[in-house]
Amino acid sequence: MTWDDMLQSTKVIAKYLIPTLKVFGFTLLFSIPLGMIVALIKKCPFKPVSWLINLYILIMRGTPLMLQIITIYYAIPMLQKSGYFAGVNIKSDSYQFTALIVAFVLNYAAYFAEIFRGGIESIPKGQYEAAAALGFTKPQTFFRIILPQVVKRVIPASANEVITLVKDTSLASTIAYIEIFRKSKELMVTYSSLIPLFIAGVFYFVMNAVLTAVFSAVEKKLDYYK
C-alpha cells in the first residue's frame, strides 16, 4: 500500500466520521437522562417495579451489545409477518439508524443507571434530613444539594463508559451501518492491507484522547466538592 493509497484511505474514512459521531452523540443524548430516570425508579418502594428495572438492567448488562443490536433490528421485520407494525418501512435508512440508536440507548442507559444509583446512594442520609429541616422540598433537595455532588462522584465512572461508547460505535457495522470501522474493513479488502484498520484505530484514539482531556478538565472544575 503506497503513501498515496494511505492518504486516500484516510480521506475516505474521514468522510464517515460524521455517522460515527451521530451514533455517539444520540446515544449520550438519550441514555444519560434515561439512566438517571431508571436509577430513580429502581429506588421505588413498590417491589414489582424495582424487580422489573433490575431485570432490565440484568439483561442489558448480561448480554452482548451486538446481540441486542441484531435483536432490535430484526424484531420489527419478524413482527410484521404477524401483522404488526405494517406501516414501518424496514428498508429505509432511518429505520436502520433508529433501531441502532434504540439498542445503544437501552444498553448504555442500564450502565449509567447503575453508576448514578451508586452516586446517589453514596450521599449521606444526613444531608437529606438537614435539607428537610431547612424546609427544602424533595425535588429541591435532589436538584440543588444531591445532584451536584452525584455528578462530581460519577464523573470517573461515566468517563469510562463514554470512552467505551466511542469504541462500541464500531458495532454499528453489524447491521451494515456504514461508519469508519465498516469503511476501513471495505478498504482493507480493496487494498489487501491492514493499514486502513490502523487508520481507523487512529481516529478512535484521537476521539478518546479528546474526551479524556475534556473529562479531566471537568473534574478539575468540580474540585470544590471535595
Side-chain angles (χ1 to χ4, degrees):
M1 192 173 187
T2 66
W3 284 105
D4 288 339
D5 292 335
M6 292 174 61
L7 181 60
Q8 183 62 30
S9 295
T10 302
K11 291 180 179 179
V12 172
I13 292 173
K15 291 180 181 178
Y16 290 89
L17 183 60
I18 296 300
T20 295
L21 293 177
K22 284 175 63 179
V23 174
F24 173 79
F26 277 100
T27 299
L28 283 187
L29 179 64
F30 295 112
S31 64
I32 290 177
L34 179 58
M36 178 60 74
I37 293 171
V38 170
L40 294 174
I41 294 176
K42 186 175 180 178
K43 297 173 69 65
C44 176
F46 187 55
K47 291 299 182 182
V49 173
S50 61
W51 289 339
L52 285 174
I53 292 298
N54 282 328
L55 179 61
Y56 155 70
I57 292 174
L58 181 62
I59 293 173
M60 291 296 106
R61 298 176 70 196
T63 57
L65 176 55
M66 181 183 294
L67 176 61
Q68 294 165 20
I69 293 171
I70 294 172
T71 300
I72 291 174
Y73 182 70
Y74 288 106
I76 300 298
M78 292 178 66
L79 289 172
Q80 281 186 335
K81 295 179 180 179
S82 301
Y84 299 99
F85 300 102
V88 178
N89 183 7
I90 61 175
K91 295 182 179 180
S92 66
D93 292 338
S94 61
Y95 169 74
Q96 181 191 50
F97 183 73
T98 301
L100 188 63
I101 295 303
V102 168
F104 269 86
V105 168
L106 290 177
N107 179 274
Y108 272 84
Y111 284 93
F112 281 124
E114 285 298 277
I115 292 172
F116 296 150
R117 180 190 59 80
I120 292 171
E121 292 181 353
S122 70
I123 306 299
K125 292 184 178 180
Q127 294 198 25
Y128 293 92
E129 296 169 355
L134 291 172
F136 283 85
T137 64
K138 289 185 178 181
Q140 288 175 330
T141 300
F142 180 75
F143 286 105
R144 294 186 182 183
I145 299 173
I146 305 302
L147 187 59
Q149 297 178 77
V150 170
V151 170
K152 162 63 180 175
R153 299 186 183 199
V154 303
I155 284 294
S158 297
N160 289 336
E161 287 302 318
V162 173
I163 289 172
T164 299
L165 174 58
V166 172
K167 296 177 287 186
D168 278 351
T169 56
S170 62
L171 295 176
S173 62
T174 303
I175 57 173
Y177 180 80
I178 303 179
E179 36 67 59
I180 59 175
F181 183 69
R182 182 175 178 84
K183 180 52 63 174
S184 67
K185 290 199 298 183
E186 292 176 359
L187 292 172
M188 180 187 69
V189 175
T190 301
Y191 292 105
S192 299
S193 172
L194 290 174
I195 297 299
L197 288 180
F198 286 108
I199 294 173
V202 171
F203 277 97
Y204 289 118
F205 175 80
V206 171
M207 286 189 285
N208 278 329
V210 171
L211 287 172
T212 299
V214 169
F215 277 107
S216 295
V218 171
E219 284 191 66
K220 290 180 181 179
K221 288 289 185 181
L222 296 175
D223 276 347
Y224 54 79
Y225 279 115
K226 286 184 176 180

